Amino acid sequence: MHAIGTASRLSGVGIETIRFYERSGVIPRPARAANGRRLYTDAEIARLRFLKKCRDLGFSLAEARALRELSENAGADCAGAAALARAHRDKVRARIAELQRLDAALGELMQNCADGNAACPLLHAIANA
Amino acid sequence: MHAIGTASRLSGVGIETIRFYERSGVIPRPARAANGRRLYTDAEIARLRFLKKCRDLGFSLAEARALRELSENAGADCAGAAALARAHRDKVRARIAELQRLDAALGELMQNCADGNAACPLLHAIANA
DNA sequence: GTGCATCCTGTAGCCACCACAGGAGCAAGC
DNA sequence: GCTTGCTCCTGTGGTGGCTACAGGATGCAC
């Protein structure tokens, strides 16, 4: 059984974040020592590590929670997990495409700026597009 | 002078968003009619359109506000605007690179899932990476 | 005068945390 | 035994950029 600081260090999830996960029901309430301090088992720390990896992969907290539940159920629903991951990858790709459009638009706007014009073409373009 | 609904329609900025911009000081408080309703000049509506375009280009509200101030000052500081835009484009590109890494990682994780394995390789990979 | 659209203020919710304030406990060194 | 410094506790408020009400007042067309 480990204190919250140790759990944080071992899982990579911040102390405040662990307490936030508990408050919002993402993880169950852990055991408490006689002095009221939280105590975490190795399994609970593994759960936190799992959540951290999901968040690092860009899954929302709700998705991360769903994946954790899928992984902890006997059998580990592979199809469900793959569907979640596919949907998430599609969102990531859509966002990439959107940002690439932005990148191109910004490039165009900045292009004429390098010419040392007196009136800024960038600001003018934004104002009058 | 136009009511807020007209200003919203002409600028593309939502009514609640216009009031939010006012509350947070992004735009100055407009004139009021005798009955207390907000009245917007054409210049103020143009300002809203400018902000909208900046937001559509992915600038933060603070950056949008800075650009607006640059554009309204006499002379329209081109170098300042270009610097803001460059910094923003760099952030956009960094985000694209990050998302592309995520895309690749997700692809790898999903790869073995299609094989119809009993134990889900995706969930296993997240749990034990 | 009746209905509907529009406007007003103020507050709360979204996401995923992060940063306190103000206090309590605990272990080590002197 | 006392101080120092670390960790922990609860509770609250802030971030960004809106969005969605509640509960009321007004305006305008029929």
Side-chain angles (χ1 to χ4, degrees):
Chain A
M1 301 291 262
H2 311 275
I4 197 170
T6 313
S8 170
R9 250 166 278 129
L10 291 177
S11 67
V13 180
I15 290 178
E16 310 271 12
T17 305
I18 294 176
R19 288 200 275 247
F20 163 73
Y21 284 175
E22 181 187 332
R23 254 197 328 277
S24 43
V26 177
I27 54 171
R29 266 176 275 169
R32 297 277 184 152
N35 54 16
R37 298 189 173 191
R38 290 169 179 82
L39 290 176
Y40 296 91
T41 64
D42 291 338
E44 284 170 324
I45 290 172
R47 211 177 268 163
L48 286 171
R49 252 200 316 265
F50 186 96
L51 289 173
K52 174 89 168 72
K53 261 169 237 149
C54 290
R55 296 289 301 124
D56 286 348
L57 283 167
F59 287 100
S60 74
L61 206 42
E63 287 165 339
R65 189 184 173 173
L67 283 171
R68 178 180 73 70
E69 278 161 9
L70 286 180
S71 86
E72 289 180 9
N73 286 350
D77 178 2
C78 192
L84 257 173
R86 245 193 319 276
H88 176 50
R89 193 187 52 176
D90 289 349
K91 267 186 286 175
V92 167
R93 288 186 173 171
R95 184 84 183 116
I96 288 173
E98 202 183 322
L99 288 176
Q100 280 170 340
R101 275 194 302 276
L102 277 194
D103 185 15
L106 285 168
E108 253 185 78
L109 281 177
M110 283 187 296
Q111 199 169 10
N112 301 313
C113 258
D115 301 354
N117 281 323
C120 182
L122 195 166
L123 294 171
H124 193 263
I126 297 178
N128 302 336
Chain B
M1 301 292 262
H2 311 274
I4 195 169
T6 313
S8 170
R9 249 166 281 129
L10 290 177
S11 67
V13 180
I15 290 179
E16 308 272 13
T17 305
I18 294 176
R19 288 200 277 246
F20 163 73
Y21 283 175
E22 181 186 333
R23 254 197 326 277
S24 43
V26 177
I27 55 171
R29 266 176 276 170
R32 297 277 184 152
N35 53 17
R37 299 192 172 189
R38 290 170 180 81
L39 290 176
Y40 295 90
T41 63
D42 290 338
E44 283 169 326
I45 291 172
R47 211 178 267 164
L48 285 170
R49 253 200 316 267
F50 186 95
L51 288 174
K52 173 92 168 69
K53 261 169 238 149
C54 290
R55 296 288 301 125
D56 286 348
L57 284 167
F59 287 99
S60 75
L61 207 42
E63 287 165 338
R65 188 185 174 173
L67 283 171
R68 179 180 73 69
E69 277 162 10
L70 286 180
S71 86
E72 288 179 9
N73 286 349
D77 178 2
C78 191
L84 256 173
R86 245 193 320 276
H88 177 49
R89 194 186 52 175
D90 290 349
K91 268 186 284 175
V92 167
R93 288 185 172 172
R95 183 85 183 115
I96 289 173
E98 202 183 323
L99 289 175
Q100 280 170 340
R101 275 195 302 275
L102 277 193
D103 184 15
L106 285 167
E108 254 184 76
L109 280 177
M110 285 188 293
Q111 199 171 9
N112 302 313
C113 257
D115 302 352
N117 281 324
C120 182
L122 195 165
L123 293 172
H124 193 263
I126 297 178
N128 303 336

